[in-house]
Amino acid sequence: MKTFLFFGLTVFVCLTNALAQAEDRNYQQVIAQRADKIVAALALTDSTQFKRVSTLVAQQYQDLNHLYEQHKTAKKGISEPDKIKELEAETNRQLSQLHLQYLAQLSKELSSVQIEKIKDGMTYGVLPKTYRAYQEMLPDLTQVQKAQILSYLTEAREHAMDAESSEKKHAWFGKYKGKINNYLSAQGIDMKKESQEWEKRIKEAQAAKK
């Protein structure tokens, strides 16, 4: 009976390890493809450089995933609020360090403009899309207002590119869009009215094309 139980446990452990390895291989493939797609937007002509940069991007995804998995595992064994705060602070410290190291590595390969494209690729292009949308909705924005909007969105992107999921990446932009709307409202802009009028203009333009 003991032999049977031992054999069963051994089989279970082997299967568990095999599944974990398969999942890891699948994840490696997913992030490699994601990195290639992001770097492809740079249109690099040097295939060796393309591979180096793509490897850096994929490694960043891998490192972020590893850090978040460590955080989840550590959090399961903690119940005291103060300890949880300490864990969150340490995770954020490591995230910040990883972020800076990643950008430093990219800067050895790419220009600042190219790095901006990498950041946009890692955050689904939300920054340029949102910045363009604000300018279309509010065509009379001053240069100062545009600069502040861009500053908020840039800060949001720095956080979003380190977030662990698509949902949390978009949540960072949502948070900063709230700051932008509050800022513009304080500037005397009726955001509700402007949004409604913009939507009306979009519908009219779409109807004109039909």
Side-chain angles (χ1 to χ4, degrees):
M1 183 61 144
K2 290 182 179 179
T3 301
F4 176 76
L5 289 173
F6 177 77
F7 175 75
L9 179 60
T10 301
V11 171
F12 175 76
V13 171
C14 289
L15 287 172
T16 301
N17 289 337
L19 287 172
Q21 291 173 0
E23 288 179 359
D24 186 61
R25 285 194 298 271
N26 289 337
Y27 179 70
Q28 294 287 343
Q29 185 177 12
V30 167
I31 61 176
Q33 292 174 346
R34 186 185 305 165
D36 282 350
K37 183 177 181 181
I38 290 171
V39 180
L42 303 182
L44 299 175
T45 56
D46 185 336
S47 59
T48 303
Q49 183 189 26
F50 178 96
K51 183 61 179 177
R52 289 198 304 267
V53 176
S54 182
T55 299
L56 287 175
V57 176
Q59 186 61 51
Q60 178 68 357
Y61 277 117
Q62 177 68 39
D63 291 342
L64 287 170
N65 182 66
H66 179 67
L67 179 57
Y68 282 118
E69 288 301 317
Q70 278 189 323
H71 176 81
K72 290 176 184 176
T73 300
K75 194 172 182 179
K76 288 179 181 178
I78 301 175
S79 57
E80 302 92 336
D82 289 343
K83 293 293 183 181
I84 293 176
K85 287 182 180 179
E86 289 178 10
L87 176 62
E88 296 291 343
E90 175 59 20
T91 298
N92 288 333
R93 185 193 69 78
Q94 292 183 43
L95 270 177
S96 179
Q97 184 178 26
L98 189 60
H99 184 91
L100 293 175
Q101 289 174 347
Y102 175 55
L103 294 182
Q105 290 174 323
L106 287 178
S107 68
K108 295 176 182 179
E109 295 284 349
L110 305 171
S111 68
S112 58
V113 174
Q114 289 173 320
I115 292 175
E116 291 290 298
K117 290 183 179 180
I118 292 290
K119 291 180 179 182
D120 285 334
M122 295 182 72
T123 53
Y124 316 115
V126 174
L127 185 155
K129 292 174 185 175
T130 305
Y131 185 51
R132 183 168 59 251
Y134 272 109
Q135 293 181 85
E136 290 175 355
M137 178 172 62
L138 305 166
D140 296 326
L141 285 170
T142 66
Q143 291 302 315
V144 172
Q145 290 169 335
K146 290 179 184 179
Q148 184 59 68
I149 292 170
L150 184 58
S151 176
Y152 276 134
L153 290 174
T154 300
E155 188 173 339
R157 186 182 60 184
E158 292 302 300
H159 290 294
M161 62 186 285
D162 295 335
E164 63 182 306
S165 66
S166 171
E167 181 182 1
K168 292 187 177 181
K169 288 178 187 289
H170 284 289
W172 274 111
F173 283 104
K175 177 181 178 180
Y176 277 83
K177 280 192 281 187
K179 290 185 177 184
I180 291 170
N181 290 343
N182 288 338
Y183 163 73
L184 294 174
S185 294
Q187 295 279 305
I189 298 174
D190 187 335
M191 292 303 294
K192 182 177 180 181
K193 177 184 176 182
E194 294 292 345
S195 178
Q196 290 174 341
E197 291 183 354
W198 182 45
E199 289 178 4
K200 181 180 178 182
R201 292 197 299 271
I202 292 174
K203 290 179 181 179
E204 289 174 347
Q206 290 175 340
K209 292 180 181 180
K210 294 180 179 180

